[in-house]
Amino acid sequence: MSEKANITMKDIAREMGVSVATVSRALQDSPRISAEQRERIQAYAREHNFIPNAVAESLRRSRVAPQKIIGVIVPQIAHYYFSTILSGMEEEASARGYSMIVAQSDEQYEREVKICESFLGHRVCGVIVSQAKDTLRYDHFQKLLDNEMPIVFYDRICTGLNTSRVVVDDYQGAFTAVSHLIETGCRRIAFYGSDMHLEISKNRYNGYRDALLKGGLTPEADMRFECDNRAKAEEITPELLQRPDRPDAIFAVNDDTAIGILYTAKRLGLHVPDDLSICGFTNGERAIACDPMLTTVEQRGHRVGIEAVDILLDHVEGRTAPGAVERRVVKTRLITRGTTREVKNEE
């Protein structure tokens, strides 16, 4: 390259082995780039008499620079838990001078990919996402990271990428719930969960299993079912409850599934909780709209939303070191109601 020729940011990026976006941020003293990296790039630019293109810089600022807008991907907006998370996100984002673009994946991988492409085009400052149930490939998320767009996962996290995240304590929530069922005298406890490729499913199943083991009970393969919605619960539960070795309790991965179990048990003439105890996971509005009211694990979605925005803006505003990852866990609590028995006092 001729020393007399005006070099561009693209030239600097190629020589330094970084992206053009990294060069641009380094030349503007952005805190999102490490001090050492900034100094290396700035020194190279000075040495080679780099002169910024004023027209290009004006276009960059007006059309390309990230805005104070957060991109949010939610699997289902109508879902109670996700709606409470969005409420927490909006509250925290607004308080800190940011707005949000919210997009629904509707549990579809293809829609999730298109949303990520749209967020890149809109140059949002960062993305907060709970991945769709059928997402098994993560190239669309990696593309965001390659464009130096920070990502924070919530609820359903992507274990294939080293990114910041905020989750509820799924393991402890399930462990506490199943321990409660055991303490009330239940001995055959079934598990209704989501696909086991999801981290929340693994964590909740592990909490269920470990509670059984601690209670002196053996986890049984035929007491574990892939079922995470009301329709599926109403489809598979009749056969389970008519078995001679039917369970005396069922722990469900969410409230909708638990309510499907409840209404099926009542249609079959079983008395809840004397014949069958039921525990859900969410503590949404439906938990107190059924009869009897549902024992469930409270997820505190509003707090999850606040924490997710806080983590993301720490990345965006440079409070988190470049390349660093932050993980936060929101505690759950068990809310006991009418679908589980009273704890038996030992004489």
Side-chain angles (χ1 to χ4, degrees):
M1 182 170 56
S2 170
E3 290 296 329
K4 293 183 179 180
N6 288 335
I7 66 169
T8 65
M9 285 196 288
K10 187 173 182 180
D11 296 326
I12 298 174
R14 182 177 60 251
E15 293 296 322
M16 303 296 289
V18 298
S19 69
V20 173
T22 296
V23 173
S24 175
R25 292 191 177 109
L27 295 177
Q28 296 176 73
D29 282 324
S30 170
R32 292 174 64 181
I33 309 299
S34 69
E36 181 182 357
Q37 181 89 305
R38 290 200 304 269
E39 178 54 35
R40 285 180 58 244
I41 293 172
Q42 290 172 7
Y44 185 90
R46 288 193 300 270
E47 180 183 346
H48 292 82
N49 300 314
F50 170 72
I51 301 174
N53 183 318
V55 174
E57 179 68 7
S58 175
L59 288 172
R60 187 197 66 77
R61 288 185 178 278
S62 63
R63 300 179 186 174
V64 182
Q67 307 172 71
K68 296 187 75 172
I69 300 175
I70 299 168
V72 178
I73 303 178
V74 60
Q76 292 180 324
I77 292 175
H79 192 289
Y80 173 83
Y81 178 54
F82 291 127
S83 69
T84 61
I85 291 176
L86 286 175
S87 176
M89 288 182 183
E90 199 283 328
E91 177 183 299
E92 182 68 8
S94 178
R96 296 176 63 169
Y98 287 75
S99 56
M100 303 192 315
I101 298 177
V102 179
Q104 176 177 262
S105 69
D106 200 24
E107 303 288 13
Q108 297 175 37
Y109 165 78
E110 292 80 9
R111 289 188 65 171
E112 194 175 77
V113 171
K114 290 180 180 178
I115 292 167
C116 287
E117 291 173 352
S118 173
F119 285 166
L120 273 173
H122 283 90
R123 294 302 297 171
V124 299
C125 64
V127 174
I128 304 176
V129 56
S130 179
Q131 70 179 53
K133 288 180 183 176
D134 65 350
T135 294
L136 299 174
R137 302 190 304 276
Y138 311 119
D139 293 351
H140 53 308
F141 297 139
Q142 184 61 56
K143 187 175 181 180
L144 297 179
L145 296 172
D146 289 344
N147 280 270
E148 300 187 352
M149 189 173 290
I151 303 176
V152 174
F153 284 91
Y154 68 96
D155 191 53
R156 300 184 199 149
I157 62 174
C158 174
T159 56
L161 298 172
N162 187 33
T163 55
S164 292
R165 62 196 60 174
V166 54
V167 296
V168 300
D169 196 341
D170 293 298
Y171 172 89
Q172 190 60 47
F175 183 91
T176 300
V178 176
S179 296
H180 170 72
L181 293 171
I182 295 171
E183 289 167 4
T184 62
C186 300
R187 290 295 176 267
R188 287 185 59 75
I189 304 171
F191 175 84
Y192 279 30
S194 301
D195 190 303
M196 290 299 285
H197 85 272
L198 295 171
E199 198 69 12
I200 62 168
S201 300
K202 296 176 187 175
N203 291 337
R204 292 180 193 179
Y205 175 75
N206 289 340
Y208 156 85
R209 179 200 62 200
D210 289 354
L212 292 183
L213 293 173
K214 186 176 181 181
L217 305 176
T218 302
E220 301 176 41
D222 64 352
M223 286 286 114
R224 171 179 160 186
F225 302 89
E226 186 175 315
C227 175
D228 63 1
N229 60 71
R230 178 170 179 170
K232 184 68 177 292
E234 293 185 3
E235 175 188 335
I236 71 171
T237 303
E239 181 180 351
L240 175 64
L241 294 184
Q242 293 177 81
R243 284 168 39 173
D245 63 342
R246 67 174 176 81
D248 55 10
I250 302 177
F251 170 68
V253 72
N254 57 45
D255 285 357
D256 281 350
T257 302
I259 291 169
I261 296 167
L262 171 61
Y263 280 93
T264 300
K266 292 172 71 174
R267 282 197 300 271
L268 293 174
L270 296 178
H271 187 270
V272 177
D274 294 338
D275 297 324
L276 180 72
S277 291
I278 303 168
C279 182
F281 206 115
T282 301
N283 195 33
E285 293 174 349
R286 296 176 186 175
I288 58 173
C290 55
D291 181 28
M293 290 190 288
L294 184 68
T295 290
T296 186
V297 178
E298 185 177 52
Q299 289 182 273
R300 300 176 63 208
H302 191 267
R303 171 52 54 182
V304 171
I306 290 173
E307 297 289 343
V309 170
D310 187 57
I311 293 172
L312 182 73
L313 296 187
D314 280 351
H315 283 287
V316 170
E317 296 173 356
R319 281 182 293 279
T320 298
V325 169
E326 187 167 357
R327 296 181 173 91
R328 296 184 192 173
V329 178
V330 174
K331 296 296 182 183
T332 60
R333 65 173 180 146
L334 181 66
I335 308 296
T336 56
R337 299 193 180 100
T339 58
T340 53
R341 309 171 202 162
E342 297 286 333
V343 175
K344 291 189 175 182
N345 293 318
E346 305 221 352
E347 299 296 336

mmCIF file of all heavy atoms in Angstrom, residues 264-303:
data_model
loop_
_atom_site.group_PDB
_atom_site.id
_atom_site.type_symbol
_atom_site.label_atom_id
_atom_site.label_comp_id
_atom_site.label_asym_id
_atom_site.label_seq_id
_atom_site.Cartn_x
_atom_site.Cartn_y
_atom_site.Cartn_z
ATOM 1 N N THR A 264 -58.509 -32.283 33.646
ATOM 2 C CA THR A 264 -58.626 -33.682 33.237
ATOM 3 C C THR A 264 -58.929 -34.563 34.441
ATOM 4 O O THR A 264 -59.798 -35.442 34.383
ATOM 5 C CB THR A 264 -57.324 -34.149 32.558
ATOM 6 O OG1 THR A 264 -57.076 -33.352 31.408
ATOM 7 C CG2 THR A 264 -57.428 -35.614 32.142
ATOM 8 N N ALA A 265 -58.205 -34.334 35.544
ATOM 9 C CA ALA A 265 -58.430 -35.121 36.762
ATOM 10 C C ALA A 265 -59.861 -34.952 37.255
ATOM 11 O O ALA A 265 -60.531 -35.927 37.641
ATOM 12 C CB ALA A 265 -57.433 -34.692 37.837
ATOM 13 N N LYS A 266 -60.372 -33.730 37.215
ATOM 14 C CA LYS A 266 -61.747 -33.479 37.683
ATOM 15 C C LYS A 266 -62.767 -34.155 36.763
ATOM 16 O O LYS A 266 -63.780 -34.699 37.245
ATOM 17 C CB LYS A 266 -61.987 -31.971 37.765
ATOM 18 C CG LYS A 266 -61.181 -31.291 38.869
ATOM 19 C CD LYS A 266 -61.274 -29.785 38.822
ATOM 20 C CE LYS A 266 -62.648 -29.285 39.227
ATOM 21 N NZ LYS A 266 -62.684 -27.805 39.316
ATOM 22 N N ARG A 267 -62.524 -34.158 35.458
ATOM 23 C CA ARG A 267 -63.438 -34.831 34.529
ATOM 24 C C ARG A 267 -63.483 -36.338 34.772
ATOM 25 O O ARG A 267 -64.505 -36.980 34.536
ATOM 26 C CB ARG A 267 -63.022 -34.549 33.076
ATOM 27 C CG ARG A 267 -63.425 -33.174 32.580
ATOM 28 C CD ARG A 267 -63.387 -33.098 31.064
ATOM 29 N NE ARG A 267 -62.067 -33.380 30.531
ATOM 30 C CZ ARG A 267 -61.129 -32.469 30.344
ATOM 31 N NH1 ARG A 267 -61.368 -31.198 30.651
ATOM 32 N NH2 ARG A 267 -59.955 -32.802 29.845
ATOM 33 N N LEU A 268 -62.351 -36.884 35.245
ATOM 34 C CA LEU A 268 -62.287 -38.315 35.528
ATOM 35 C C LEU A 268 -62.832 -38.663 36.909
ATOM 36 O O LEU A 268 -62.814 -39.826 37.317
ATOM 37 C CB LEU A 268 -60.834 -38.798 35.408
ATOM 38 C CG LEU A 268 -60.222 -38.751 34.004
ATOM 39 C CD1 LEU A 268 -58.741 -39.126 34.048
ATOM 40 C CD2 LEU A 268 -60.975 -39.694 33.060
ATOM 41 N N GLY A 269 -63.290 -37.663 37.640
ATOM 42 C CA GLY A 269 -63.887 -37.910 38.942
ATOM 43 C C GLY A 269 -62.903 -37.979 40.090
ATOM 44 O O GLY A 269 -63.267 -38.393 41.205
ATOM 45 N N LEU A 270 -61.659 -37.580 39.852
ATOM 46 C CA LEU A 270 -60.657 -37.594 40.919
ATOM 47 C C LEU A 270 -60.758 -36.308 41.734
ATOM 48 O O LEU A 270 -61.095 -35.245 41.204
ATOM 49 C CB LEU A 270 -59.253 -37.721 40.339
ATOM 50 C CG LEU A 270 -58.952 -39.025 39.578
ATOM 51 C CD1 LEU A 270 -57.541 -38.986 39.009
ATOM 52 C CD2 LEU A 270 -59.130 -40.239 40.472
ATOM 53 N N HIS A 271 -60.454 -36.403 43.012
ATOM 54 C CA HIS A 271 -60.491 -35.243 43.883
ATOM 55 C C HIS A 271 -59.081 -34.687 44.051
ATOM 56 O O HIS A 271 -58.151 -35.425 44.388
ATOM 57 C CB HIS A 271 -61.070 -35.608 45.263
ATOM 58 C CG HIS A 271 -61.282 -34.413 46.139
ATOM 59 N ND1 HIS A 271 -60.319 -33.937 46.997
ATOM 60 C CD2 HIS A 271 -62.350 -33.572 46.262
ATOM 61 C CE1 HIS A 271 -60.775 -32.866 47.637
ATOM 62 N NE2 HIS A 271 -62.008 -32.624 47.204
ATOM 63 N N VAL A 272 -58.930 -33.413 43.753
ATOM 64 C CA VAL A 272 -57.641 -32.724 43.908
ATOM 65 C C VAL A 272 -57.722 -31.856 45.168
ATOM 66 O O VAL A 272 -58.654 -31.053 45.312
ATOM 67 C CB VAL A 272 -57.348 -31.839 42.668
ATOM 68 C CG1 VAL A 272 -56.038 -31.070 42.857
ATOM 69 C CG2 VAL A 272 -57.287 -32.687 41.403
ATOM 70 N N PRO A 273 -56.824 -32.051 46.138
ATOM 71 C CA PRO A 273 -55.552 -32.777 46.057
ATOM 72 C C PRO A 273 -55.553 -34.165 46.701
ATOM 73 O O PRO A 273 -54.503 -34.819 46.725
ATOM 74 C CB PRO A 273 -54.612 -31.865 46.842
ATOM 75 C CG PRO A 273 -55.492 -31.349 47.948
ATOM 76 C CD PRO A 273 -56.863 -31.181 47.345
ATOM 77 N N ASP A 274 -56.688 -34.654 47.233
ATOM 78 C CA ASP A 274 -56.672 -35.916 47.969
ATOM 79 C C ASP A 274 -56.260 -37.095 47.097
ATOM 80 O O ASP A 274 -55.468 -37.942 47.523
ATOM 81 C CB ASP A 274 -58.048 -36.181 48.596
ATOM 82 C CG ASP A 274 -58.393 -35.163 49.675
ATOM 83 O OD1 ASP A 274 -57.444 -34.545 50.209
ATOM 84 O OD2 ASP A 274 -59.583 -34.970 49.957
ATOM 85 N N ASP A 275 -56.808 -37.162 45.875
ATOM 86 C CA ASP A 275 -56.444 -38.250 44.966
ATOM 87 C C ASP A 275 -55.209 -37.918 44.130
ATOM 88 O O ASP A 275 -54.445 -38.806 43.761
ATOM 89 C CB ASP A 275 -57.612 -38.562 44.021
ATOM 90 C CG ASP A 275 -58.842 -39.050 44.761
ATOM 91 O OD1 ASP A 275 -58.675 -39.779 45.769
ATOM 92 O OD2 ASP A 275 -59.966 -38.694 44.355
ATOM 93 N N LEU A 276 -55.057 -36.647 43.812
ATOM 94 C CA LEU A 276 -53.937 -36.224 42.958
ATOM 95 C C LEU A 276 -53.516 -34.808 43.322
ATOM 96 O O LEU A 276 -54.336 -33.886 43.292
ATOM 97 C CB LEU A 276 -54.346 -36.265 41.477
ATOM 98 C CG LEU A 276 -53.273 -35.836 40.476
ATOM 99 C CD1 LEU A 276 -52.169 -36.908 40.375
ATOM 100 C CD2 LEU A 276 -53.879 -35.560 39.102
ATOM 101 N N SER A 277 -52.259 -34.642 43.676
ATOM 102 C CA SER A 277 -51.707 -33.299 43.909
ATOM 103 C C SER A 277 -51.074 -32.789 42.626
ATOM 104 O O SER A 277 -50.514 -33.567 41.843
ATOM 105 C CB SER A 277 -50.654 -33.342 45.023
ATOM 106 O OG SER A 277 -51.254 -33.605 46.270
ATOM 107 N N ILE A 278 -51.153 -31.470 42.410
ATOM 108 C CA ILE A 278 -50.638 -30.872 41.171
ATOM 109 C C ILE A 278 -49.870 -29.602 41.524
ATOM 110 O O ILE A 278 -50.336 -28.783 42.315
ATOM 111 C CB ILE A 278 -51.787 -30.521 40.202
ATOM 112 C CG1 ILE A 278 -52.623 -31.765 39.879
ATOM 113 C CG2 ILE A 278 -51.234 -29.906 38.909
ATOM 114 C CD1 ILE A 278 -53.932 -31.444 39.177
ATOM 115 N N CYS A 279 -48.713 -29.439 40.889
ATOM 116 C CA CYS A 279 -47.915 -28.220 41.075
ATOM 117 C C CYS A 279 -47.457 -27.707 39.720
ATOM 118 O O CYS A 279 -46.991 -28.486 38.876
ATOM 119 C CB CYS A 279 -46.707 -28.497 41.968
ATOM 120 S SG CYS A 279 -45.691 -27.031 42.290
ATOM 121 N N GLY A 280 -47.591 -26.404 39.506
ATOM 122 C CA GLY A 280 -47.156 -25.783 38.258
ATOM 123 C C GLY A 280 -45.894 -24.954 38.434
ATOM 124 O O GLY A 280 -45.181 -25.065 39.443
ATOM 125 N N PHE A 281 -45.616 -24.097 37.441
ATOM 126 C CA PHE A 281 -44.407 -23.280 37.454
ATOM 127 C C PHE A 281 -44.686 -22.015 36.643
ATOM 128 O O PHE A 281 -44.750 -22.069 35.426
ATOM 129 C CB PHE A 281 -43.246 -24.061 36.827
ATOM 130 C CG PHE A 281 -41.868 -23.658 37.299
ATOM 131 C CD1 PHE A 281 -41.078 -24.543 38.018
ATOM 132 C CD2 PHE A 281 -41.347 -22.409 37.017
ATOM 133 C CE1 PHE A 281 -39.804 -24.200 38.446
ATOM 134 C CE2 PHE A 281 -40.081 -22.044 37.437
ATOM 135 C CZ PHE A 281 -39.303 -22.954 38.165
ATOM 136 N N THR A 282 -44.926 -20.907 37.288
ATOM 137 C CA THR A 282 -45.098 -19.583 36.683
ATOM 138 C C THR A 282 -45.695 -18.625 37.693
ATOM 139 O O THR A 282 -45.178 -17.558 37.949
ATOM 140 C CB THR A 282 -46.009 -19.576 35.432
ATOM 141 O OG1 THR A 282 -45.490 -20.431 34.424
ATOM 142 C CG2 THR A 282 -46.101 -18.162 34.858
ATOM 143 N N ASN A 283 -46.850 -19.019 38.263
ATOM 144 C CA ASN A 283 -47.676 -18.175 39.122
ATOM 145 C C ASN A 283 -48.271 -17.021 38.328
ATOM 146 O O ASN A 283 -48.184 -15.851 38.702
ATOM 147 C CB ASN A 283 -46.918 -17.640 40.341
ATOM 148 C CG ASN A 283 -47.858 -17.072 41.396
ATOM 149 O OD1 ASN A 283 -48.975 -17.568 41.559
ATOM 150 N ND2 ASN A 283 -47.437 -16.030 42.085
ATOM 151 N N GLY A 284 -48.931 -17.389 37.222
ATOM 152 C CA GLY A 284 -49.640 -16.403 36.426
ATOM 153 C C GLY A 284 -51.049 -16.191 36.943
ATOM 154 O O GLY A 284 -51.470 -16.790 37.940
ATOM 155 N N GLU A 285 -51.806 -15.353 36.250
ATOM 156 C CA GLU A 285 -53.161 -15.020 36.688
ATOM 157 C C GLU A 285 -54.074 -16.238 36.690
ATOM 158 O O GLU A 285 -55.007 -16.341 37.494
ATOM 159 C CB GLU A 285 -53.727 -13.933 35.781
ATOM 160 C CG GLU A 285 -52.993 -12.596 35.922
ATOM 161 C CD GLU A 285 -53.469 -11.560 34.920
ATOM 162 O OE1 GLU A 285 -54.218 -11.946 33.986
ATOM 163 O OE2 GLU A 285 -53.108 -10.383 35.073
ATOM 164 N N ARG A 286 -53.840 -17.192 35.789
ATOM 165 C CA ARG A 286 -54.693 -18.376 35.711
ATOM 166 C C ARG A 286 -54.550 -19.267 36.943
ATOM 167 O O ARG A 286 -55.432 -20.074 37.223
ATOM 168 C CB ARG A 286 -54.360 -19.167 34.453
ATOM 169 C CG ARG A 286 -54.661 -18.417 33.163
ATOM 170 C CD ARG A 286 -54.233 -19.203 31.954
ATOM 171 N NE ARG A 286 -54.395 -18.423 30.732
ATOM 172 C CZ ARG A 286 -54.011 -18.832 29.524
ATOM 173 N NH1 ARG A 286 -53.441 -20.023 29.397
ATOM 174 N NH2 ARG A 286 -54.195 -18.071 28.467
ATOM 175 N N ALA A 287 -53.439 -19.128 37.650
ATOM 176 C CA ALA A 287 -53.206 -19.975 38.816
ATOM 177 C C ALA A 287 -54.233 -19.730 39.917
ATOM 178 O O ALA A 287 -54.497 -20.619 40.734
ATOM 179 C CB ALA A 287 -51.791 -19.749 39.354
ATOM 180 N N ILE A 288 -54.811 -18.520 39.946
ATOM 181 C CA ILE A 288 -55.811 -18.223 40.970
ATOM 182 C C ILE A 288 -57.215 -18.154 40.379
ATOM 183 O O ILE A 288 -58.174 -17.829 41.065
ATOM 184 C CB ILE A 288 -55.489 -16.899 41.711
ATOM 185 C CG1 ILE A 288 -55.402 -15.725 40.740
ATOM 186 C CG2 ILE A 288 -54.205 -17.038 42.514
ATOM 187 C CD1 ILE A 288 -55.251 -14.373 41.415
ATOM 188 N N ALA A 289 -57.341 -18.495 39.081
ATOM 189 C CA ALA A 289 -58.647 -18.466 38.424
ATOM 190 C C ALA A 289 -59.239 -19.860 38.301
ATOM 191 O O ALA A 289 -60.348 -20.015 37.796
ATOM 192 C CB ALA A 289 -58.528 -17.822 37.050
ATOM 193 N N CYS A 290 -58.494 -20.891 38.723
ATOM 194 C CA CYS A 290 -58.991 -22.258 38.637
ATOM 195 C C CYS A 290 -59.470 -22.721 40.018
ATOM 196 O O CYS A 290 -59.236 -22.060 41.027
ATOM 197 C CB CYS A 290 -57.900 -23.192 38.105
ATOM 198 S SG CYS A 290 -56.350 -23.157 39.035
ATOM 199 N N ASP A 291 -60.161 -23.859 40.038
ATOM 200 C CA ASP A 291 -60.718 -24.380 41.288
ATOM 201 C C ASP A 291 -60.356 -25.862 41.429
ATOM 202 O O ASP A 291 -60.783 -26.677 40.610
ATOM 203 C CB ASP A 291 -62.234 -24.209 41.287
ATOM 204 C CG ASP A 291 -62.881 -24.722 42.572
ATOM 205 O OD1 ASP A 291 -62.195 -24.706 43.615
ATOM 206 O OD2 ASP A 291 -64.043 -25.142 42.514
ATOM 207 N N PRO A 292 -59.554 -26.199 42.456
ATOM 208 C CA PRO A 292 -58.945 -25.298 43.442
ATOM 209 C C PRO A 292 -57.813 -24.488 42.824
ATOM 210 O O PRO A 292 -57.323 -24.812 41.751
ATOM 211 C CB PRO A 292 -58.419 -26.257 44.510
ATOM 212 C CG PRO A 292 -58.182 -27.537 43.778
ATOM 213 C CD PRO A 292 -59.242 -27.620 42.717
ATOM 214 N N MET A 293 -57.430 -23.431 43.539
ATOM 215 C CA MET A 293 -56.335 -22.598 43.039
ATOM 216 C C MET A 293 -55.031 -23.398 43.052
ATOM 217 O O MET A 293 -54.836 -24.304 43.861
ATOM 218 C CB MET A 293 -56.211 -21.322 43.870
ATOM 219 C CG MET A 293 -57.370 -20.364 43.660
ATOM 220 S SD MET A 293 -57.120 -18.725 44.395
ATOM 221 C CE MET A 293 -57.296 -19.122 46.129
ATOM 222 N N LEU A 294 -54.135 -23.026 42.135
ATOM 223 C CA LEU A 294 -52.962 -23.836 41.828
ATOM 224 C C LEU A 294 -51.747 -23.530 42.700
ATOM 225 O O LEU A 294 -51.353 -22.372 42.848
ATOM 226 C CB LEU A 294 -52.588 -23.622 40.354
ATOM 227 C CG LEU A 294 -51.446 -24.452 39.782
ATOM 228 C CD1 LEU A 294 -51.840 -25.926 39.707
ATOM 229 C CD2 LEU A 294 -51.070 -23.933 38.381
ATOM 230 N N THR A 295 -51.169 -24.580 43.262
ATOM 231 C CA THR A 295 -49.848 -24.464 43.872
ATOM 232 C C THR A 295 -48.834 -24.356 42.739
ATOM 233 O O THR A 295 -48.888 -25.117 41.767
ATOM 234 C CB THR A 295 -49.534 -25.701 44.737
ATOM 235 O OG1 THR A 295 -50.365 -25.679 45.897
ATOM 236 C CG2 THR A 295 -48.070 -25.708 45.176
ATOM 237 N N THR A 296 -47.911 -23.411 42.842
ATOM 238 C CA THR A 296 -46.995 -23.177 41.726
ATOM 239 C C THR A 296 -45.722 -22.484 42.188
ATOM 240 O O THR A 296 -45.654 -21.962 43.305
ATOM 241 C CB THR A 296 -47.698 -22.327 40.634
ATOM 242 O OG1 THR A 296 -46.861 -22.206 39.484
ATOM 243 C CG2 THR A 296 -48.044 -20.944 41.161
ATOM 244 N N VAL A 297 -44.733 -22.483 41.320
ATOM 245 C CA VAL A 297 -43.461 -21.807 41.579
ATOM 246 C C VAL A 297 -43.503 -20.428 40.918
ATOM 247 O O VAL A 297 -43.722 -20.322 39.713
ATOM 248 C CB VAL A 297 -42.266 -22.615 41.035
ATOM 249 C CG1 VAL A 297 -40.954 -21.868 41.275
ATOM 250 C CG2 VAL A 297 -42.216 -24.005 41.667
ATOM 251 N N GLU A 298 -43.311 -19.392 41.690
ATOM 252 C CA GLU A 298 -43.331 -18.023 41.163
ATOM 253 C C GLU A 298 -41.996 -17.692 40.509
ATOM 254 O O GLU A 298 -40.940 -17.805 41.125
ATOM 255 C CB GLU A 298 -43.612 -17.029 42.289
ATOM 256 C CG GLU A 298 -43.762 -15.608 41.795
ATOM 257 C CD GLU A 298 -44.124 -14.652 42.914
ATOM 258 O OE1 GLU A 298 -43.417 -14.643 43.939
ATOM 259 O OE2 GLU A 298 -45.112 -13.928 42.770
ATOM 260 N N GLN A 299 -42.048 -17.235 39.246
ATOM 261 C CA GLN A 299 -40.824 -16.976 38.478
ATOM 262 C C GLN A 299 -40.314 -15.538 38.554
ATOM 263 O O GLN A 299 -39.188 -15.281 38.181
ATOM 264 C CB GLN A 299 -41.056 -17.331 37.001
ATOM 265 C CG GLN A 299 -41.161 -18.821 36.743
ATOM 266 C CD GLN A 299 -41.337 -19.112 35.275
ATOM 267 O OE1 GLN A 299 -42.446 -19.131 34.763
ATOM 268 N NE2 GLN A 299 -40.251 -19.345 34.575
ATOM 269 N N ARG A 300 -41.128 -14.593 38.948
ATOM 270 C CA ARG A 300 -40.723 -13.188 39.068
ATOM 271 C C ARG A 300 -40.213 -12.637 37.732
ATOM 272 O O ARG A 300 -39.109 -12.127 37.624
ATOM 273 C CB ARG A 300 -39.666 -13.037 40.157
ATOM 274 C CG ARG A 300 -40.134 -13.483 41.547
ATOM 275 C CD ARG A 300 -39.027 -13.397 42.567
ATOM 276 N NE ARG A 300 -38.592 -12.021 42.741
ATOM 277 C CZ ARG A 300 -37.351 -11.682 43.115
ATOM 278 N NH1 ARG A 300 -36.442 -12.602 43.329
ATOM 279 N NH2 ARG A 300 -37.022 -10.425 43.274
ATOM 280 N N GLY A 301 -41.084 -12.729 36.724
ATOM 281 C CA GLY A 301 -40.700 -12.289 35.389
ATOM 282 C C GLY A 301 -40.344 -10.812 35.300
ATOM 283 O O GLY A 301 -39.446 -10.426 34.543
ATOM 284 N N HIS A 302 -41.021 -9.965 36.054
ATOM 285 C CA HIS A 302 -40.732 -8.531 36.031
ATOM 286 C C HIS A 302 -39.280 -8.273 36.405
ATOM 287 O O HIS A 302 -38.589 -7.467 35.763
ATOM 288 C CB HIS A 302 -41.679 -7.805 36.990
ATOM 289 C CG HIS A 302 -41.652 -6.315 36.865
ATOM 290 N ND1 HIS A 302 -40.836 -5.521 37.649
ATOM 291 C CD2 HIS A 302 -42.332 -5.464 36.041
ATOM 292 C CE1 HIS A 302 -41.017 -4.252 37.316
ATOM 293 N NE2 HIS A 302 -41.910 -4.179 36.347
ATOM 294 N N ARG A 303 -38.779 -8.966 37.412
ATOM 295 C CA ARG A 303 -37.385 -8.810 37.835
ATOM 296 C C ARG A 303 -36.430 -9.330 36.763
ATOM 297 O O ARG A 303 -35.379 -8.733 36.517
ATOM 298 C CB ARG A 303 -37.176 -9.544 39.165
ATOM 299 C CG ARG A 303 -35.724 -9.654 39.637
ATOM 300 C CD ARG A 303 -34.959 -8.358 39.672
ATOM 301 N NE ARG A 303 -35.617 -7.324 40.442
ATOM 302 C CZ ARG A 303 -35.148 -6.083 40.580
ATOM 303 N NH1 ARG A 303 -34.029 -5.715 39.963
ATOM 304 N NH2 ARG A 303 -35.799 -5.204 41.307
#
